[in-house]
Amino acid sequence: MPDPSGPAPRRLVFSDVDETLLSGKSLFDFLDFYFAGLHGADGARHAARARRRIAALVAAGAPREVGNRVYYEAWKGERLDDVTAWGTDWFARRSGTPGFYVPATRAALRAHRKAGDAVVLVSGSFPAVVDPVAVDIGADHVLCTRQETREGILTGAVVGEPCIGEGKRRAVRKLAECYPDISLSDCYGYGDHVSDLPMLSAVGHPVVVGGSRELVAEISGARVLPATGPV
């Protein structure tokens, strides 16, 4: 929600996270990091099984939304406090390594913040992973998939719909309603995959990170940023 005590932003800037702001797939990296770290060899095998199941779905043509829900099923029975604490540790370890962030996107978001824009992270990932990133880059909002819990234990389900595909578009539009003086036609969006198209098509200034041919073909005149190397 907007901060009534602060200055109103000029625009909203929406950015995907994995392979747009971060160079890798944080969802899978954290899956391995957590389960192997907390549960040892059994946890590593559990994470590997989840990865294989999702890979099979993708190979069969299942949409990312389906794979996203299957991913969260792997977390059933874990304590939310443990997952959150390990997310903080994961970020502390990974963020110090070269290439953690996509340089061009990181620089672009810095420039947006300096210009008085509000930065919003929009991700199919979940708070344990996204929140530390948001704090580090100074994001104003996080729109992401939320896991269902019961008495502090993850159920393996998500609350509402995953923040992916059309879910991203709906989340973007819902947040924009909180800023009635800002038109989405004046706002920016950053994404790397065709599943980001609903979000990118909701804003007036879409930016494709990495130059996906499929995504560029869908968005006429979109700006393209490199996914690797210097800005």
Side-chain angles (χ1 to χ4, degrees):
M1 295 299 104
D3 180 1
S5 65
R10 295 192 315 156
R11 294 170 298 208
L12 300 176
V13 178
F14 302 95
S15 178
D16 174 51
V17 177
D18 284 358
E19 298 182 299
T20 295
L21 175 58
L22 305 186
S23 61
K25 292 182 178 291
S26 64
L27 275 173
F28 293 115
D29 188 43
F30 183 58
L31 181 78
D32 295 338
F33 178 85
Y34 174 88
F35 279 102
L38 186 61
H39 300 297
D42 287 343
R45 285 190 288 270
H46 174 77
R49 285 194 297 270
R51 277 175 166 272
R52 288 195 297 270
R53 186 181 175 197
I54 294 168
L57 286 168
V58 172
R64 278 198 173 188
E65 293 88 335
V66 173
N68 196 253
R69 287 188 181 277
V70 170
Y71 173 87
Y72 288 110
E73 290 175 7
W75 295 89
K76 183 178 181 179
E78 299 302 313
R79 296 187 58 84
L80 178 60
D81 287 348
D82 289 340
V83 176
T84 301
W86 278 77
T88 300
D89 188 36
W90 169 84
F91 178 79
R93 292 169 183 256
R94 295 293 195 261
S95 61
T97 60
F100 180 73
Y101 286 109
V102 173
T105 308
R106 184 74 176 94
L109 296 185
R110 282 198 187 105
H112 279 296
R113 293 194 70 241
K114 187 175 181 179
D117 300 336
V119 172
V120 185
L121 298 187
V122 189
S123 176
S125 192
F126 55 121
V129 174
V130 182
D131 283 352
V133 176
V135 171
D136 188 50
I137 71 163
D140 298 272
H141 301 284
V142 169
L143 306 176
C144 67
T145 302
R146 304 279 170 173
Q147 293 166 291
E148 182 185 71
T149 61
R150 292 178 185 167
E151 298 181 350
I153 305 298
L154 302 179
T155 68
V158 300
V159 178
E161 66 179 335
C163 192
I164 194 167
E166 286 296 331
K168 285 190 174 183
R169 189 206 305 267
R170 283 187 276 271
V172 162
R173 287 180 171 171
K174 184 175 181 180
L175 179 64
E177 291 174 357
C178 300
Y179 292 90
D181 295 331
I182 297 176
S183 170
L184 281 175
S185 64
D186 295 326
C187 297
Y188 283 72
Y190 292 77
D192 71 286
H193 187 267
V194 70
S195 63
D196 295 317
L197 179 61
M199 175 182 74
L200 297 181
S201 62
V203 301
H205 302 282
V207 181
V208 177
V209 178
S212 163
R213 291 183 179 180
E214 187 176 8
L215 192 52
V216 169
E218 292 285 349
I219 309 175
S220 177
R223 181 185 174 200
V224 177
L225 290 182
T228 59
V231 178

